[in-house]
Amino acid sequence: MIYKRSSALFAEAEQVIPGGVNSPVRAFKAVGGTPIFVKEAKGAYLYDEDGNQLIDYIASWGPMILGHAHQPVVDAVIDKAKKGTSFGMPTQIETQIAELAVSMVPNIDKIRFVNSGTEACMSAVRLARGYTKKDKIIKFAGCYHGHSDSFLIQAGSGAVTFGTPNSPGVTQGTAKDTLLAKYNDLDNVEALIQANKGEIACIIIEPVAGNMGCIPPKQGFLEGLRSLCDANNILLVFDEVMTGFRLAKGGAQELLGIKADIVCFGKVIGGGLPVGAFAARAEIMNHLAPLGPVYQAGTLSGNPLAMAAGLAMLTELNNGNVFESLAKKTEYLHKGLSEILERLQVTHTINRVGSMISVHFCDDEVVDFETAAKGNNDTFKSFFHGMLNQGIYLAPSAFESWFLNDALTYEDLDKTIAACEAVFS
Ligand SMILES: *Cc1c(COP(=O)(O)O)cnc(C)c1O
């Protein structure tokens, strides 16, 4: 494949945008080469500026779960745009999407909409602190909760890819309130709680990790966190920015049967427009301004275009059996890939939950950040470029999950499996 025009556009972008991108994971730093500039997309396919067609496995990092330019979402946005794009006043559609979200997700009574997953997680932690009147939080190494200061402590994909787990600009004062635990290690969490007795406001976690590749929670781990939280007056915050409306209608809470106190959303909930949200039972949410003292606001929060896209998306997901269909496709891909990799004796471990899947190029079970980091990055690089040359677009980092979209056909999956075979043959 030829990427002449993408290369030229990237060079031009680099002159006026730091690193040529508006979010670091889009650059090809971890895999080498220059990023591909996309021109348009439809269904499961991306069309780049050089005229190549690519099968898309990142789905805009999750949101495009029904494929690109999905008609009901596009129609809803166009219709809304004609009627004004922002008012800074309440609109009925905000209540409509809130009602639908609350009906789909377990254990939440009220939801507040923001503009990104970062904002959702940042606000959820502020709310947890305001509610419990405690300062410290526990996060897990390799989990990503957006780029706000408190979370940039061993923060998975983007941060890890660039080898700067702790970003300059995050003060010691902020960092000291974030305690770092090991994913899937309950003893470690318990020790942190004991050492900081009465000081921890919340534990924030990706209930299925997706920012160090896909890593499922071990049996009993989330249940254990729930008990520790209950015993110590700590709120359990599920960051479902990736898993929400992807693993099930009710996200990981529903799929795994664990109850969170606060849930964060992003990605799918916006149908491809910039939306985040956080939600909890009324007793907690009523602490937010203007009802309560915890301040949180946004000029463009609940923006009509964003709400229209989100509402159209959630309506589709609520009515169909997308999650089942996606899980089946992902299982098919898993089987196909592991058969090839085994036959060709490529060292690998595949993790999969629902429509999240990742190929780790290492032998051991991948259960946390440490084991994820053991993957062979050189193998990943040749895999990534080998797949790309055959028109398969994977996330340009070994620390990312793949996100399937329901527009993918079994023929697309077969092409992908065949491409994998060609790479390692
Ligand atoms: C993407 C992501 C975020 C951040 O969301 P943005 O919309 O990029 O700010 C937070 N948490 C998780 C689990 C994510 O995957």
Side-chain angles (χ1 to χ4, degrees):
M1 289 204 180
I2 294 168
Y3 298 111
K4 243 175 107 175
R5 199 169 146 71
S6 273
S7 300
L9 289 171
F10 182 59
E12 192 182 338
E14 278 183 297
Q15 300 304 310
V16 284
I17 301 172
V21 292
N22 280 313
S23 192
V25 288
R26 293 175 202 169
F28 275 20
K29 288 271 188 223
V31 290
T34 52
I36 289 161
F37 275 59
V38 63
K39 192 169 185 184
E40 55 189 281
K42 182 74 191 166
Y45 310 120
L46 302 165
Y47 301 91
D48 73 11
E49 290 280 0
D50 288 280
N52 301 305
Q53 178 188 308
L54 304 165
I55 301 179
D56 183 16
Y57 281 97
I58 67 165
S60 181
W61 305 89
M64 314 317 296
I65 191 167
L66 298 175
H68 293 278
H70 189 64
Q71 206 59 50
V73 177
V74 173
D75 290 345
V77 172
I78 290 173
D79 184 51
K80 266 288 173 226
K82 290 178 183 162
K83 297 170 181 161
T85 58
S86 184
F87 311 111
M89 294 164 72
T91 53
Q92 188 187 2
I93 194 169
E94 293 165 81
T95 312
Q96 289 168 336
I97 185 173
E99 283 171 348
L100 181 55
V102 165
S103 77
M104 291 171 78
V105 177
N107 313 315
I108 63 171
D109 302 317
K110 293 188 179 182
I111 184 165
R112 164 106 7 126
F113 285 90
V114 294
N115 305 291
S116 68
T118 295
E119 253 190 274
C121 295
M122 178 185 87
S123 309
V125 164
R126 183 183 303 145
L127 178 59
R129 285 172 164 154
Y131 177 81
T132 59
K133 302 190 170 61
K134 296 189 279 186
D135 288 346
K136 292 185 180 170
I137 65 169
I138 292 179
K139 86 169 276 287
F140 294 87
C143 280
Y144 181 66
H145 306 295
H147 65 90
S148 106
D149 286 2
S150 306
F151 302 127
L152 283 182
I153 324 282
Q154 288 207 15
S157 53
V160 171
T161 302
F162 304 108
T164 50
N166 301 292
S167 171
V170 177
T171 66
Q172 281 298 320
T174 298
K176 79 169 173 26
D177 284 331
T178 301
L179 307 173
L180 200 63
K182 270 179 79 165
Y183 201 84
N184 274 326
D185 186 340
L186 209 51
D187 292 343
N188 183 224
V189 178
E190 194 161 9
L192 280 176
I193 293 174
Q194 288 311 322
N196 297 272
K197 211 101 194 121
E199 294 184 275
I200 297 166
C202 69
I203 296 176
I204 184 165
I205 187 165
E206 291 177 64
V208 173
N211 282 290
M212 42 185 169
C214 172
I215 299 184
K218 280 185 183 167
Q219 195 84 45
F221 176 59
L222 295 177
E223 289 84 348
L225 290 183
R226 180 68 270 172
S227 310
L228 283 173
C229 285
D230 289 341
N232 293 280
N233 184 29
I234 294 170
L235 295 185
L236 183 58
V237 180
F238 271 11
D239 176 354
E240 297 226 39
V241 170
M242 207 176 253
T243 53
F245 306 103
R246 172 164 285 278
L247 296 184
K249 279 183 198 177
Q253 281 197 102
E254 178 188 323
L255 186 78
L256 307 171
I258 313 281
K259 193 171 165 180
D261 296 305
I262 305 179
V263 190
C264 307
F265 299 103
K267 301 193 167 116
V268 175
I269 200 172
L273 269 76
V275 180
F278 59 107
R281 54 185 185 271
E283 174 217 349
I284 297 175
M285 290 306 274
N286 290 346
H287 278 65
L288 276 181
L291 272 185
V294 178
Y295 197 69
Q296 189 282 323
T299 301
L300 288 170
S301 292
N303 170 268
L305 293 195
M307 296 296 96
L311 181 59
M313 176 65 92
L314 296 195
T315 303
E316 293 274 299
L317 297 177
N318 195 35
N319 295 336
N321 57 350
V322 178
F323 305 106
E324 221 172 285
S325 153
L326 270 171
K328 274 197 195 130
K329 287 177 185 174
T330 313
E331 188 183 358
Y332 181 87
L333 182 67
H334 183 167
K335 277 195 185 140
L337 292 174
S338 48
E339 196 229 82
I340 298 289
L341 293 172
E342 251 150 62
R343 180 149 51 76
L344 299 176
Q345 299 185 339
V346 180
T347 303
H348 73 283
T349 298
I350 297 181
N351 283 353
R352 166 174 61 90
V353 179
S355 55
M356 293 165 64
I357 180 170
S358 55
V359 183
H360 299 268
F361 291 107
C362 60
D363 253 337
D364 300 334
E365 211 189 339
V366 176
V367 295
D368 58 13
F369 178 64
E370 223 167 81
T371 42
K374 283 186 188 158
N376 185 327
N377 205 44
D378 289 333
T379 309
F380 178 79
K381 275 189 212 174
S382 17
F383 179 57
F384 173 82
H385 284 292
M387 295 297 274
L388 185 57
N389 278 329
Q390 298 174 82
I392 315 289
Y393 191 75
L394 305 175
S397 161
F399 290 103
E400 297 287 353
S401 172
W402 310 12
F403 301 106
L404 270 68
N405 69 77
D406 205 39
L408 284 162
T409 61
Y410 282 89
E411 197 187 335
D412 295 327
L413 301 177
D414 284 336
K415 270 190 202 160
T416 307
I417 295 162
C420 174
E421 180 167 21
V423 169
F424 290 109
S425 292

